[in-house]
């Protein structure tokens, strides 16, 4: 009985798709965080440059 239960558990692949989608979502999220962090530094520098140019002296 225990071996049959173990075999059926190992043969069941219905949860594998959910795990794969979860890993894919994590990978996309990490990539977005890294990209947006790098972009935010550049954008902040651009706004600081514009702010310094606009300020009256």
């Amino acid at each position: 009985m225990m071996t049959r239960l173990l075999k059926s558990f190992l043969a069941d692949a219905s949860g594998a798709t959910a795990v794969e989608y979860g890993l894919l979502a994590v990978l996309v999220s990490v990539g977005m965080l890294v990209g947006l962090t790098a972009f935010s530094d550049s954008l902040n520098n651009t706004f600081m440059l514009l702010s310094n140019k606009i300020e009256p002296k």
Side-chain angles (χ1 to χ4, degrees):
M1 180 173 147
M2 190 65 164
T3 48
R4 188 176 356 159
L5 181 64
L6 184 61
K7 284 181 182 180
S8 69
F9 177 73
L10 292 175
D12 185 19
S14 62
T17 303
V19 171
E20 290 169 356
Y21 281 130
L23 290 173
L24 186 61
V26 167
L27 182 64
V28 168
S29 299
V30 168
M32 286 179 64
L33 283 173
V34 169
L36 290 175
T37 301
F39 180 69
S40 69
D41 290 340
S42 174
L43 189 61
N44 190 24
N45 290 338
T46 302
F47 283 135
M48 291 299 289
L49 179 68
L50 289 173
S51 175
N52 289 337
K53 296 274 185 183
I54 293 173
E55 284 182 359
K57 294 184 180 182

